[in-house]
Amino acid sequence: MAAKKITQEQQVIKALREQGGYATLRRLNEVVDFSNWKTLTPEASVRRIVQQSNEIFKIQPGLWALEEVRESILRKFKLNSNNPQSIENFSHSYYQGLLVEIGKLQNSITYVPAQDRHHLFLEKELGEVSDLTIIPNFTFEHLLRRARTVDVIWFNHRHMPTHFYEVEHTTDIKNSLSKFYELQDFFSSFYIVADQYRENEFKDKINASIFSPIKNRVKFLNYDKVATLHATLSLQLASGW
């Protein structure tokens, strides 16, 4: 009797089990065997499967887990729906980690602040994932003091900053814009990373007259976009970054 053919959904579920019950979309795309998938876009199929399967749930955009181990996974990441602080802590480190990994894929040298180095990106400390937790001395000390607190910085191989990212889950976006204002003289891009619902708040604050010098240089990047870039960047490098 011929062996029963395993479905694509079953392959994804099997891969999640083998990864400890959870995985990023990027990791699933790396470990699932697509050799028998009759599609030119298997990554899109994986994304559809995790979104539609009753056996899989979303932890964050780009991060999925099995329903059968929901409670243990949530305990592992200290996530409690009744504790907003636990969600904020996890989300902040998660998006820092995604941005670090995206930066590395683009051959950037990545930095996270020293005070964040022991925060967890999934099961690794950010200090292990990032290239640097001590900032290069690329400018005057009073500007370095501001730059040191930025959530993620990408540097080129001359150790000059090219991208600054601030992850804003619930904190005041104005504080991040103030950092970017102080760092405006560098040939760098600036990003506020947050949930989509905060984009209008971002627009209101960036339109304040005090921020007019940087208004056209700061972009809003929502969580879903970061997760999509993380999952697909090796397939086609994002333009405009």
Side-chain angles (χ1 to χ4, degrees):
M1 182 181 294
K4 185 178 179 181
K5 186 177 180 180
I6 185 171
T7 67
Q8 292 178 356
E9 180 181 2
Q10 288 169 332
Q11 282 183 261
V12 172
I13 290 169
K14 179 175 180 287
L16 282 167
R17 286 198 186 106
E18 291 172 348
Q19 295 300 307
Y22 74 94
T24 62
L25 271 179
R26 178 177 184 78
R27 184 60 180 158
L28 285 175
N29 290 335
E30 291 171 344
V31 299
V32 174
D33 180 4
F34 294 140
S35 59
N36 294 319
W37 290 36
K38 296 178 180 180
T39 174
L40 296 177
T41 56
E43 295 82 9
S45 296
V46 170
R47 187 168 60 250
R48 172 185 54 78
I49 288 166
V50 296
Q51 290 172 345
Q52 296 180 358
S53 175
N54 291 329
E55 296 187 54
I56 299 170
F57 74 98
K58 181 170 75 173
I59 302 174
Q60 286 280 349
L63 182 62
W64 300 84
L66 292 173
E67 281 287 357
E68 66 194 44
V69 290
R70 176 189 282 265
E71 294 305 317
S72 63
I73 294 296
L74 294 181
R75 282 197 303 272
K76 180 192 294 285
F77 295 137
K78 299 178 181 178
L79 281 168
N80 183 341
S81 59
N82 296 319
N83 183 347
Q85 189 62 52
S86 73
I87 297 171
E88 175 158 7
N89 292 343
F90 178 84
S91 299
H92 196 273
S93 298
Y94 173 65
Y95 290 105
Q96 281 179 285
L98 293 188
L99 290 165
V100 164
E101 291 196 340
I102 294 168
K104 286 186 169 185
L105 285 167
Q106 302 218 79
N107 297 314
S108 294
I109 299 168
T110 57
Y111 162 87
V112 296
Q115 64 265 28
D116 293 348
R117 66 184 182 274
H118 295 307
H119 295 177
L120 291 181
F121 168 56
L122 304 179
E123 295 188 62
K124 288 186 176 180
E125 291 187 353
L126 283 171
E128 297 178 59
V129 181
S130 178
D131 297 306
L132 304 172
T133 57
I134 298 175
I135 203 164
N137 291 318
F138 65 89
T139 187
F140 300 107
E141 179 58 31
H142 71 281
L143 293 176
L144 285 176
R145 282 198 297 271
R146 296 293 271 168
R148 283 190 189 100
T149 65
V150 174
D151 290 324
V152 176
I153 307 174
W154 296 355
F155 290 91
N156 62 26
H157 287 272
R158 296 182 303 281
H159 285 96
M160 295 300 291
T162 61
H163 297 70
F164 292 91
Y165 297 91
E166 282 280 85
V167 180
E168 300 291 357
H169 196 67
T170 59
T171 44
D172 191 349
I173 289 173
K174 186 177 179 180
N175 292 336
S176 294
L177 295 179
S178 296
K179 294 180 192 180
F180 295 162
Y181 181 87
E182 295 296 326
L183 297 164
Q184 65 179 284
D185 295 307
F186 295 96
F187 190 65
S188 305
S189 300
F190 301 103
Y191 294 88
I192 297 293
V193 179
D195 200 308
Q196 182 60 50
Y197 82 88
R198 301 199 74 186
E199 185 168 12
N200 286 338
E201 177 188 353
F202 162 75
K203 289 177 179 177
D204 287 343
K205 293 187 175 178
I206 196 64
N207 281 315
S209 59
I210 190 173
F211 295 126
S212 58
I214 61 170
K215 176 181 176 181
N216 295 324
R217 294 182 57 193
V218 184
K219 297 179 182 178
F220 181 88
L221 199 59
N222 69 53
Y223 289 160
D224 289 295
K225 179 66 172 177
V226 173
T228 298
L229 285 168
H230 182 262
T232 63
L233 193 57
S234 60
L235 304 175
Q236 55 178 36
L237 288 176
S239 60
W241 274 58

